[in-house]
Amino acid sequence: MSDFFYLIPLSLGLGFVGLAVFLWSLRGGQYEDLDGAAERVLDDEDAPILPQRRTVPGQG
Amino acid sequence: MSCCGPATLALAAAPAGAEGGPSREEIVLASHRIGEGLWQTDLSVPAVHCGACMRTVENALGRIDGVEGARVNLSTRRVSVRWREVADPSAFVPTLAAIGYPAHLDDPAADERDETLSSLVRALAVAGFGAMNIMLMSVAVWSGAEAGARDLFHLISAAIALPTIAYSGRVFFSSAWNALSHGRTNMDVPISIGILIAFGMSLYDTLNSGAHAYFDAAVSLIFFLLIGRTLDHVMRERARTAVKGLARFAARGAHVVHGDGRQEYLPLAEIAPGMTLMVAAGERIPVDGEIIAGQSDIDCSLVNGESLPREAGPGTAVEAGTLNLTGPVTMRARAAAKDSFLAEMVRLMEAAEGGRSRYRRLADRAASLYAPFVHAAALVTFIGWMLVGGGWHQSLTVAVAVLIITCPCALALAVPMVQVVAARRLFEAGIMVKDGGALERITEVDTVVFDKTGTLTLGALALTNTGNIAPADLAVAAAIAAHSRHPHARAIAAAAQDRVRLAPVFDSVGEHPGLGLEATAGGHVYRLGRAAWALSDTSGITGTVLSRNGRLIAGFSFADRLRPGAQQAVRALQAEGLRIVLLSGDRSDEVLRLAAELGIDECAGDLVPGDKVAALAALAAEGRKVLMVGDGLNDAPALAAAHASMAPATAADIGRNAADFVFLRDGLEAVPAALGLSRAAQVLTRQNLALALIYNAIALPFAVLGFVTPLLAAIAMSSSSVIVVANALRLGRADGGTREPGRRAARMSEAHA
């Protein structure tokens, strides 16, 4: 059985990645407007998640 | 999209030339700079409720010159607009109004994200990660890992549990410490002690190759409790933002005229007594003062409950918060904002808040009995096992099992879960509840005190003698009336909306503040206003009339309209055996008339705010628990003083903040609805507490006798939590009739139109 112990750090590592990704998405404001996100996914235009991130020049 | 229909209707119903929206200066004051000549303004748009609405609003704002972009947040029903300095921000609100989305300025909130929520969610994520991984290790141990592997798994569990408890457990530790340092206990004290002792004991066992470790129990306890805590926070925050997003009824600042004739828009805090201020028609009076020039009518309904506007001219004293209706006036400030009428209300409120702050939530009361009991049981178990010769290690292990098994996991979830579900049901019915304590307090109520203007009535006048006026005359009157904000004019315009096309085309229409409107058409002069001004011969005629060339055409009479459902609400409350009282600042005869109409026996009029608080204090002295329902600035102290309180969305800002419940729809059915649902919630809360108690009664003997292993503890803990959560969710199914989110938003927009 001890041959499979290397799976423990592996699974913990994967768990850590998942946790880190969740915290990152939380920090990025992806959970600020869940109702809106549900509607926006039906929208054809590609709008950025946060208005601040918008860097398209010369367009209103 | 069909759901957008009502919003467009709201546009058609809006009287022509009504509100112009806030001025540029006021918007700049409420905006914040985000760098590079960019500004951000937050507007609250309650009518937004679908993807199509979001696109319409964003596109409409985006087309305004100088606007960089607009982004709607559907959850908070807000739009944040980013604009360059060249843009004209005063165009935002009219633009939105023109496409059927009434909007109002919101306080800048883009940067003050909900920090508590993010920290709770982070703690929850970490606890979930820890609980799942430790549980996997524990399953391996329970399924019979050999001693060497078991110790390794326990060590890894300890390595995960330590940072998890240190990070996610802070929520409970700090709250428990806070309670203890003030000489109180709350639910978090037994939780914290249980977690810490379980962890310490398990760590010791791990290092000494013990068979049992409780890392999984300690961490999943934190995880479960954080779920309840987070839901509770989300519920309160949602109510808070919903209430914050309603229109403000206080001025943000005022146009100050300096000695050299220079004008400047100053924020409210910088206005000093003696300054000269300009107040345009349609603006709120910013501070207490005296009018020095100009004629107008002042609407005091939100301030003192008077339903009819007051005439105002030079020399008239005006109070902060009243609405200047018809003409621009110049006034001299008599007091700074912090000493104005509003401040007096705040002072009264602070003095009044007594009974409510003494109230202790059911969960805390249960905890104050429960915590000593749990600790005593654990201590007795430990001593007992020592006495029968179990040795200190075994005695401590059993005592820890007792702490873990009785740790109020179900108890701490039992109450918040029910309240979260109840708040959600109320939210769907258009009622915001501020916190769980309010749900408990309202169930104890045995007396309901209503305010009159704006609460039992809509605070908006309606024409009562439509039937006696020739349609053509009414059409003329309505066409003229559409040019004014005066409540009488609005009532006439609203009564004959569909008939305006019958009216002649006017050459000119002008408003004479304090008197009425004058219009000319085809050589005739029409006057709509006070009889004494409109008629050349006023023998015995008073009130509001329409005249042509000084001759009477029609007289109008008005009455404040009852709120829809007022009659039913009062009856329903009386049927439940509640005592109903009507307290108003309006004239006594008006109050008596309304009380008779609604079948309310106890009423009083001509009350100043202090009288209302005194009346509530007298009721409290009789041992009555009072639910106060009111909307005005003058009700705010009474709202704070009552055992529980409710306010409509159209209430004064400060009253809304003081109230426990805010209802967004026009109908007064909200009062019995909130009461009924809170009572149902209270029943479920008690059931849940009983369930948690029964669970403990069964589990405790086993734990004390030392039969509980970590596996049993984990099963018992999770199953009891699942049971109380499932029981709480029954409330959601109690009645399923009123789910109509689309119409909710439409009604919200009507309430603001």
Side-chain angles (χ1 to χ4, degrees):
Chain A
M1 188 169 105
S2 48
D3 290 344
F4 298 107
F5 277 3
Y6 72 91
L7 288 174
I8 293 174
L10 200 65
S11 76
L12 280 179
L14 285 174
F16 260 120
V17 170
L19 181 67
V21 167
F22 176 76
L23 292 178
W24 169 78
S25 66
L26 186 70
R27 186 179 304 241
Q30 295 195 18
Y31 303 95
E32 302 280 296
D33 180 17
L34 293 175
D35 295 342
E39 296 285 347
R40 271 178 215 279
V41 75
L42 302 173
D43 201 346
D44 289 334
E45 286 169 43
D46 255 343
I49 289 165
L50 281 183
Q52 285 88 333
R53 301 257 171 91
R54 183 139 131 183
T55 48
V56 185
Q59 290 181 10
Chain B
M1 225 175 218
S2 62
C3 67
C4 294
T8 357
L9 279 178
L11 165 70
E19 314 293 330
S23 65
R24 182 190 167 97
E25 292 87 349
E26 186 170 2
I27 293 183
V28 169
L29 208 60
S31 306
H32 60 136
R33 204 190 283 269
I34 52 174
E36 304 158 39
L38 268 180
W39 289 74
Q40 178 165 330
T41 304
D42 285 324
L43 299 172
S44 174
V45 195
V48 168
H49 52 75
C50 68
C53 301
M54 292 192 337
R55 266 191 301 286
T56 316
V57 166
E58 286 175 0
N59 290 341
L61 288 172
R63 274 197 295 275
I64 299 174
D65 278 340
V67 170
E68 279 282 299
R71 175 104 187 165
V72 173
N73 185 323
L74 191 60
S75 311
T76 54
R77 312 235 154 145
R78 275 203 194 133
V79 55
S80 45
V81 192
R82 282 164 314 114
W83 46 280
R84 301 212 162 272
E85 257 144 28
V86 294
D88 175 20
S90 61
F92 298 163
V93 172
T95 303
L96 289 177
I99 54 168
Y101 294 96
H104 42 257
L105 266 182
D106 209 348
D107 290 317
D111 289 338
E112 50 151 276
R113 268 207 248 143
D114 187 356
E115 279 310 319
T116 322
L117 179 63
S118 337
S119 68
L120 271 175
V121 172
R122 277 198 301 270
L124 187 62
V126 171
F129 166 81
M132 276 185 275
N133 283 296
I134 295 174
M135 200 51 89
L136 284 179
M137 303 285 164
S138 302
V139 169
V141 174
W142 295 333
S143 42
E146 71 211 45
R150 186 193 65 206
D151 289 347
L152 179 66
F153 289 153
H154 278 169
L155 262 178
I156 298 174
S157 298
I160 303 171
L162 180 64
T164 308
I165 290 174
Y167 184 78
S168 302
R170 278 180 315 179
V171 180
F172 306 100
F173 301 151
S174 58
S175 156
W177 177 248
N178 195 25
L180 282 179
S181 59
H182 287 89
R184 293 179 286 115
T185 63
N186 59 12
M187 214 53 142
D188 293 331
V189 175
I191 291 170
S192 304
I193 293 179
I195 290 169
L196 289 176
I197 293 188
F199 178 77
M201 185 67 203
S202 304
L203 192 63
Y204 175 86
D205 270 344
T206 302
L207 297 177
N208 293 293
S209 304
H212 296 309
Y214 283 102
F215 295 118
D216 59 296
V219 176
S220 47
L221 188 68
I222 292 182
F223 181 57
F224 282 131
L225 294 178
L226 274 174
I227 292 177
R229 207 58 63 103
T230 310
L231 286 176
D232 193 49
H233 181 81
V234 168
M235 158 194 123
R236 268 180 303 178
E237 201 53 28
R238 186 150 78 154
R240 208 178 60 87
T241 45
V243 170
K244 228 173 66 178
L246 297 169
R248 274 171 72 111
F249 293 111
R252 271 193 179 76
H255 285 279
V256 175
V257 186
H258 292 286
D260 52 2
R262 198 163 43 86
Q263 280 196 24
E264 194 182 358
Y265 192 84
L266 287 179
L268 209 51
E270 290 174 28
I271 292 169
M275 282 183 167
T276 308
L277 313 172
M278 300 261 295
V279 182
E283 283 185 0
R284 296 260 165 199
I285 305 283
V287 293
D288 291 358
E290 184 180 305
I291 293 182
I292 49 177
Q295 279 287 334
S296 186
D297 297 86
I298 307 282
D299 177 359
C300 308
S301 60
L302 204 57
V303 172
N304 59 11
E306 267 174 55
S307 46
L308 294 181
R310 250 191 239 160
E311 270 178 85
T316 313
V318 285
E319 284 151 342
T322 52
L323 179 63
N324 179 21
L325 285 170
T326 46
V329 295
T330 309
M331 59 175 282
R332 179 166 295 125
R334 201 182 57 217
K338 63 175 169 43
D339 305 320
S340 279
F341 180 68
L342 187 71
E344 170 69 12
M345 290 303 105
V346 174
R347 200 187 54 70
L348 268 174
M349 274 168 71
E350 281 164 0
E353 249 174 310
R356 206 186 300 186
S357 55
R358 277 197 301 274
Y359 181 82
R360 291 185 65 211
R361 291 177 65 163
L362 197 55
D364 285 336
R365 274 182 286 162
S368 64
L369 295 175
Y370 189 73
F373 172 74
V374 169
H375 292 155
L379 192 65
V380 168
T381 309
F382 177 70
I383 294 170
W385 276 83
M386 286 296 271
L387 288 182
V388 299
W392 78 267
H393 181 258
Q394 192 181 5
S395 308
L396 200 57
T397 307
V398 176
V400 165
V402 169
L403 267 185
I404 287 283
I405 207 97
T406 55
C407 217
C409 192
L411 201 57
L413 270 175
V415 180
M417 259 327 279
V418 175
Q419 289 175 344
V420 167
V421 176
R424 194 191 168 81
R425 297 276 305 127
L426 286 171
F427 195 90
E428 282 166 2
I431 304 166
M432 307 289 139
V433 53
K434 293 283 179 55
D435 64 68
L439 283 171
E440 294 174 16
R441 276 184 275 116
I442 197 175
T443 58
E444 299 179 350
V445 157
D446 55 9
T447 306
V448 183
V449 175
F450 283 102
D451 167 49
K452 187 181 80 74
T453 313
T455 306
L456 284 173
T457 68
L458 283 171
L461 295 175
L463 194 58
T464 52
N465 61 340
T466 322
N468 304 339
I469 305 169
D473 297 337
L474 189 56
V476 173
I480 301 175
H483 294 85
S484 172
R485 288 197 176 86
H486 194 284
H488 286 174
R490 284 202 163 176
I492 295 174
Q497 234 164 45
D498 45 339
R499 273 176 251 164
V500 176
R501 62 190 145 69
L502 300 175
V505 177
F506 298 114
D507 302 322
S508 69
V509 179
E511 182 156 27
H512 299 265
L515 300 171
L517 292 144
E518 185 175 80
T520 55
H524 296 296
V525 177
Y526 292 93
R527 279 182 170 182
L528 175 67
R530 284 173 208 289
W533 168 75
L535 303 175
S536 42
D537 170 25
T538 57
S539 50
I541 304 167
T542 56
T544 303
V545 299
L546 174 67
S547 72
R548 180 167 52 220
N549 303 325
R551 303 247 312 272
L552 177 72
I553 303 182
F556 302 94
S557 54
F558 304 92
D560 200 348
R561 266 183 300 159
L562 274 185
R563 223 174 237 283
Q567 188 89 57
Q568 292 90 320
V570 168
R571 281 223 196 95
L573 294 172
Q574 280 169 338
E576 296 208 26
L578 295 167
R579 177 170 159 195
I580 313 278
V581 182
L582 175 57
L583 299 177
S584 176
D586 204 359
R587 297 197 316 273
S588 284
D589 50 335
E590 283 284 318
V591 177
L592 276 170
R593 194 187 54 72
L594 189 89
E597 189 181 339
L598 287 171
I600 299 174
D601 302 329
E602 288 178 73
C603 65
D606 289 318
L607 298 176
V608 300
D611 293 344
K612 288 200 180 191
V613 177
L616 287 191
L619 283 168
E622 286 175 36
R624 294 264 165 186
K625 306 266 192 209
V626 179
L627 169 66
M628 173 77 202
V629 189
D631 77 312
L633 210 47
N634 59 335
D635 294 318
L639 288 169
H643 193 61
S645 50
M646 265 182 111
T650 48
D653 313 311
I654 151 175
R656 236 162 28 200
N657 292 334
D660 296 318
F661 297 83
V662 176
F663 54 99
L664 301 180
R665 293 184 187 166
D666 273 352
L668 207 59
E669 297 96 343
V671 178
L675 201 59
L677 202 86
S678 305
R679 285 188 175 157
Q682 191 74 355
V683 170
L684 278 180
T685 305
R686 289 180 192 284
Q687 276 178 11
N688 266 356
L689 285 177
L691 278 174
L693 218 63
I694 292 172
Y695 152 78
N696 276 314
I698 297 172
L700 192 60
F702 289 98
V704 171
L705 295 176
F707 294 128
V708 169
T709 61
L711 174 60
L712 273 178
I715 293 171
M717 216 166 66
S718 335
S719 55
S720 71
S721 301
V722 168
I723 289 173
V724 294
V725 169
N727 193 39
L729 289 175
R730 290 198 310 138
L731 186 65
R733 293 209 219 119
D735 59 356
T738 51
R739 285 174 170 249
E740 39 184 5
R743 296 185 63 185
R744 174 176 77 224
R747 295 219 193 122
M748 278 171 74
S749 72
E750 280 160 28
H752 292 126

